[in-house]
Amino acid sequence: MEDLGAMINQIEEIERHLAYLKWISQIEELSDNIQQYLMTNNVPEAASTLVSMAELDIKLQESSCTHLLAFMRATVKFWHKILKDKLTSDFEEILAQLHWPFIAPSQSQTVGLSRPAGSSEIYSNLETLFCQLLKLQTSDELLTEPKQLPEKYSLPASPSVILPIQIMLTPLQKRFRYHFRGNRQTNVMSKPEWYLAQVLLWIGNHTQFLDEKIQPILDKVGSAVSARLEFSRGLVMLVLEKLAADIPCLLYDDNLFCHLVDEVLLFERELHSVHGYPGTFANCMHILSEETCFQRWLTVERKFALQKMDSMLSSEAAWISQYKDITDVDEMKVPDCAETFMMLLLVITDRYKNLPTASRKLQFLELQKDLVDDFRIRLTQVMKEETRAPLGFRYCAILNAVNYISTVLADWADNVFFLQLQQAALEVFAENSALSKLQLGQLAAMESSVFDDMVNLLERLKHDMLTRQVDHVFREVKDAAKLYKKERWLSLPSQSEQAVMSLSTSACPLLLTLRDRLLQLEQQLCFSLFKIFWQMLVEKLDVHIYQEIILANHFNEGGAAQLQFDMTRNLFPLFSHYCKRPENYFKHVKEACIVLNLNVGSALLLKDVLQSASGQPPATAALNEVGIYKLAQQDVEILLNLRTNWPNTGK
């Protein structure tokens, strides 16, 4: 066994040597083939053989035979350089005949796509060379390290631009570096729009040629690459390098930095919308997302937003609606400052929505929330100066502003973009344990939204302001009702004694005050606010009339009829403009009038039922029968006792 073991080891070693020699002979054989193909000028076959050699190189990557690997790589490199140089010079020659690159927009139409003499031959040569260069892609990727921007920019991984397009890009890259690097007059820090516009122009000029002449070649060889996008990707990389070099130099000049960001965002918008550049490719937003640059962007954005808020609140037209003369547009009666502020928030959203990572977007969302909070505090401060005149024009304008911002934020919460942010925020909060399980559950179930805290604070402010207005009007109405309270309800003539019923003179101040205030606030508040206002007012008024006027007096038949006439024919109709059945909002007063005006027989009957069936279902049924649902049994008994027109039974 020992002898056999030794012999087997020897055999295995010789097999390894043989395998090693086979690899070398295989490499040499491929190398000889390439040489022969080149001598007979058969470039396509030479290129195909080089592909096989490059594939062998990739297979060998796992091996620990360093010398073999080095020999392999050196051979690939040797032939790749020869083939690449030859094909590149031929390809450049063909491109030159087509007057590539098309610098003027008209040129792409006249030269690239018209038919110069012998154009069919030129295009067939172009196709041949393009395909041969494509074959060198594998070896090119093996040999050349793609230029990468530093890791801090977190660019998405992407393969290098295909070789023939790289060659087509070379003259444009030279032009770009010539004009926008070094000390040329075109390289100005304050004019990023020059190089951004130049790149967009180049993409636009070459699109048609790439689509009509280059894309079919790629389709024919079964490549999934888009010629136009590869070309754009190469040019965008120039922009990214330029930005990475420039940004550190203007980071602390707010105006220059802000201008750069604005221009970059415009460039991005056109790149995506006009030229169909996918958001998943490396783009300028990756550069702006780099930590130092991003924090600066946030700071500058906040600074300029606060300045804008100062100017919008101090402008003379701050509290006037832009659309005050166009009724159908001006439903919300939004003052100018609130509309401008929401427009500012909308613009900020538009600026950051294409950032590549959710964490960056969430930082911008926090900025927006801070701005809303800041604006709310400013509105509160202005409101406090106006509290002496809660029905005044400015106070109402502030209330409309608060309502508008709250409404818009609640709408935004259902927007897909903010729902996606909510999902991202949920993941962040869950990782950091920043919220309680209940809050996380509400966010996850979409019961709450990213703007909930803001909306709640604004709603509270809105409610406080409305309450102050209602209290103010209610005080005025209460003062105006003092005379009415002292009316001689006990000794008024009955209905049969009057030719026609008319409104009590003492009720006029009350109704006039009410009418004037309702008209004034209907004009100044938006519809939804005014609706809350009058309903809150009616609630207080109903209880006041019931407790302070009705329960504080006794009524003869004429008094009860007069009260009912004043209420149902004069007070309730004041609100009929705002709802169909205003009497339903005055439940206490309406039902008290019913009890006081029941004919004597029904009243006696009701009194007996209530006394005998205390708290029993028959009592409820008897009350419902005469139209009383709101008042409790005890209340009805008290009201019955306020009537003085009972028959004298001798008791």
Side-chain angles (χ1 to χ4, degrees):
M1 285 305 289
E2 277 179 19
D3 292 351
L4 273 174
M7 196 181 281
I8 287 167
N9 287 342
Q10 279 179 318
I11 291 169
E12 282 176 351
E13 194 174 336
I14 292 166
E15 277 180 339
R16 278 202 298 278
H17 290 179
L18 261 177
Y20 196 93
L21 290 169
K22 271 184 190 164
W23 273 102
I24 291 175
S25 72
Q26 206 173 347
I27 295 165
E28 285 182 333
E29 188 184 335
L30 288 170
S31 185
D32 291 344
N33 289 349
I34 293 174
Q35 189 172 4
Q36 281 170 356
Y37 287 135
L38 284 178
M39 283 164 76
T40 56
N41 213 10
N42 188 347
V43 180
E45 283 301 328
S48 301
T49 314
L50 183 60
V51 174
S52 312
M53 195 186 280
E55 283 166 356
L56 276 189
D57 187 321
I58 293 164
K59 272 187 197 165
L60 268 179
Q61 294 301 312
E62 306 296 315
S63 168
S64 55
C65 307
T66 48
H67 295 299
L68 181 63
L69 285 175
F71 172 62
M72 180 86 185
R73 184 59 56 90
T75 315
V76 172
K77 197 172 183 177
F78 175 78
W79 289 119
H80 177 79
K81 185 178 182 334
I82 291 174
L83 274 169
K84 185 176 174 181
D85 289 353
K86 177 173 172 43
L87 287 170
T88 301
S89 66
D90 293 353
F91 192 55
E92 282 172 346
E93 209 171 292
I94 293 285
L95 289 173
Q97 289 174 21
L98 292 169
H99 302 280
W100 180 274
F102 313 138
I103 300 306
S106 55
Q107 201 184 332
S108 63
Q109 312 303 314
T110 52
V111 181
L113 300 165
S114 64
R115 302 228 155 238
S119 64
S120 58
E121 190 188 335
I122 292 176
Y123 285 127
S124 94
N125 287 345
L126 177 79
E127 181 175 339
T128 311
L129 289 165
F130 194 94
C131 292
Q132 289 169 7
L133 280 164
L134 264 182
K135 288 181 180 172
L136 298 190
Q137 187 69 26
T138 320
S139 47
D140 198 62
E141 283 172 14
L142 271 183
L143 299 170
T144 49
E145 276 291 316
K147 270 204 310 184
Q148 290 286 331
L149 280 168
E151 274 182 23
K152 64 179 179 178
Y153 294 113
S154 317
L155 296 183
S158 56
S160 50
V161 175
I162 56 171
L163 193 56
I165 300 262
Q166 278 182 34
I167 296 164
M168 295 170 86
L169 282 165
T170 309
L172 291 171
Q173 288 166 338
K174 279 180 184 164
R175 277 172 181 275
F176 187 91
R177 292 192 176 110
Y178 174 79
H179 286 296
F180 305 115
R181 291 281 169 87
N183 50 10
R184 310 292 313 168
Q185 284 178 326
T186 39
N187 183 24
V188 189
M189 283 286 180
S190 58
K191 297 286 181 190
E193 59 269 36
W194 287 355
Y195 63 83
L196 295 169
Q198 185 62 74
V199 164
L200 288 171
L201 187 69
W202 285 342
I203 292 175
N205 287 354
H206 297 89
T207 295
Q208 197 178 347
F209 178 81
L210 290 164
D211 282 351
E212 294 182 14
K213 301 296 178 194
I214 304 297
Q215 193 59 49
I217 304 174
L218 286 163
D219 295 343
K220 200 186 277 187
V221 298
S223 167
V225 171
S226 155
R228 188 205 313 192
L229 289 182
E230 282 293 277
F231 184 76
S232 304
R233 201 155 66 89
L235 289 176
V236 168
M237 276 314 290
L238 289 173
V239 173
L240 301 193
E241 287 166 17
K242 173 77 176 147
L243 282 175
D246 280 5
I247 285 176
C249 307
L250 43 82
L251 214 47
Y252 297 101
D253 183 320
D254 285 356
N255 292 321
L256 284 184
F257 181 73
C258 205
H259 177 59
L260 174 80
V261 171
D262 289 346
E263 289 299 332
V264 165
L265 292 171
L266 287 171
F267 170 77
E268 280 286 310
R269 185 172 302 159
E270 188 167 339
L271 193 62
H272 296 298
S273 60
V274 178
H275 301 294
Y277 191 80
T280 48
F281 281 13
N283 60 50
C284 301
M285 300 310 270
H286 290 96
I287 304 292
L288 294 183
S289 292
E290 186 270 322
E291 185 64 30
T292 323
C293 176
F294 184 76
Q295 291 308 330
R296 190 79 200 124
W297 181 12
L298 268 181
T299 309
V300 170
E301 201 79 47
R302 184 187 304 270
K303 177 187 163 185
F304 283 110
L306 291 172
Q307 282 177 4
K308 184 103 171 102
M309 278 157 65
D310 287 340
S311 66
M312 69 176 81
L313 281 169
S314 55
S315 92
E316 290 189 4
W319 303 108
I320 299 167
S321 163
Q322 292 179 33
Y323 315 108
K324 64 177 186 299
D325 304 325
I326 321 169
T327 336
D328 51 348
V329 179
D330 195 29
E331 281 177 15
M332 300 282 283
K333 295 188 167 58
V334 189
D336 196 34
C337 64
E339 185 148 20
T340 314
F341 175 69
M342 291 318 281
M343 192 52 80
L344 171 76
L345 285 190
L346 198 63
V347 168
I348 291 177
T349 306
D350 215 36
R351 288 159 75 82
Y352 78 81
K353 71 178 179 198
N354 291 323
L355 280 166
T357 63
S359 62
R360 290 293 189 225
K361 290 179 193 167
L362 285 171
Q363 283 174 273
F364 257 104
L365 180 65
E366 283 308 312
L367 166 66
Q368 286 178 304
K369 286 184 181 179
D370 290 348
L371 292 175
V372 173
D373 213 38
D374 195 291
F375 198 68
R376 178 185 62 81
I377 291 165
R378 289 171 192 231
L379 287 178
T380 310
Q381 286 165 345
V382 183
M383 180 269 289
K384 282 179 178 163
E385 294 165 16
E386 300 294 323
T387 44
R388 288 191 181 163
L391 308 184
F393 166 73
R394 186 180 277 197
Y395 190 92
C396 291
I398 297 167
L399 186 44
N400 285 329
V402 172
N403 180 58
Y404 174 68
I405 295 169
S406 175
T407 310
V408 174
L409 288 179
D411 284 351
W412 283 3
D414 296 331
N415 178 308
V416 174
F417 173 71
F418 288 111
L419 288 173
Q420 288 168 341
L421 273 193
Q422 180 169 334
Q423 195 53 43
L426 194 61
E427 288 159 22
V428 173
F429 291 145
E431 279 172 29
N432 304 345
S433 313
L435 294 179
S436 70
K437 286 208 169 142
L438 171 68
Q439 288 169 307
L440 280 174
Q442 286 173 332
L443 269 177
M446 300 290 171
E447 282 172 22
S448 64
S449 77
V450 285
F451 294 114
D452 261 18
D453 300 345
M454 306 292 106
V455 173
N456 291 342
L457 287 168
L458 288 162
E459 285 296 314
R460 192 183 307 164
L461 175 60
K462 174 171 108 179
H463 184 263
D464 291 348
M465 290 180 75
L466 273 170
T467 307
R468 191 174 276 123
Q469 285 188 323
V470 170
D471 289 348
H472 184 87
V473 172
F474 182 62
R475 272 199 303 278
E476 288 187 355
V477 170
K478 214 159 59 168
D479 286 346
K482 280 177 181 167
L483 275 175
Y484 190 58
K485 184 179 176 180
K486 294 174 182 165
E487 187 64 68
R488 299 173 297 119
W489 300 108
L490 263 175
S491 54
L492 287 174
S494 72
Q495 207 167 343
S496 55
E497 292 169 30
Q498 298 182 54
V500 61
M501 293 283 281
S502 63
L503 171 67
S504 307
T505 319
S506 57
C508 289
L510 159 71
L511 294 173
L512 280 172
T513 307
L514 202 52
R515 185 201 65 180
D516 292 347
R517 289 304 179 225
L518 286 170
L519 282 173
Q520 179 187 352
L521 285 164
E522 187 184 13
Q523 283 173 344
Q524 293 190 343
L525 292 180
C526 76
F527 175 74
S528 60
L529 283 174
F530 179 68
K531 186 178 175 185
I532 302 171
F533 166 81
W534 74 255
Q535 289 180 0
M536 283 168 75
L537 181 64
V538 162
E539 198 178 319
K540 289 174 83 83
L541 196 57
D542 178 37
V543 173
H544 178 73
I545 294 174
Y546 174 67
Q547 289 181 347
E548 302 296 324
I549 296 175
I550 298 176
L551 293 182
N553 285 291
H554 284 75
F555 296 83
N556 68 354
E557 189 188 341
Q562 185 63 51
L563 177 77
Q564 185 164 33
F565 180 80
D566 292 346
M567 295 296 119
T568 55
R569 303 294 296 279
N570 294 283
L571 176 66
F572 299 171
L574 270 184
F575 295 89
S576 60
H577 181 51
Y578 316 124
C579 63
K580 280 190 178 153
R581 306 187 63 120
E583 65 275 13
N584 287 346
Y585 289 92
F586 287 93
K587 286 204 166 72
H588 290 91
V589 173
K590 180 180 94 172
E591 294 184 2
C593 287
I594 292 174
V595 176
L596 294 175
N597 284 281
L598 279 175
N599 63 43
V600 178
S602 305
L604 280 169
L605 198 60
L606 183 61
K607 207 171 186 182
D608 285 348
V609 172
L610 294 181
Q611 281 169 353
S612 59
S614 181
Q616 297 300 314
T620 314
L623 290 173
N624 291 356
E625 207 172 305
V626 293
I628 291 164
Y629 300 93
K630 173 84 176 169
L631 295 178
Q633 184 180 330
Q634 296 89 323
D635 295 334
V636 176
E637 287 174 358
I638 293 168
L639 285 165
L640 287 169
N641 289 331
L642 297 179
R643 293 173 56 134
T644 57
N645 57 332
W646 296 109
N648 188 357
T649 55
K651 284 183 183 175

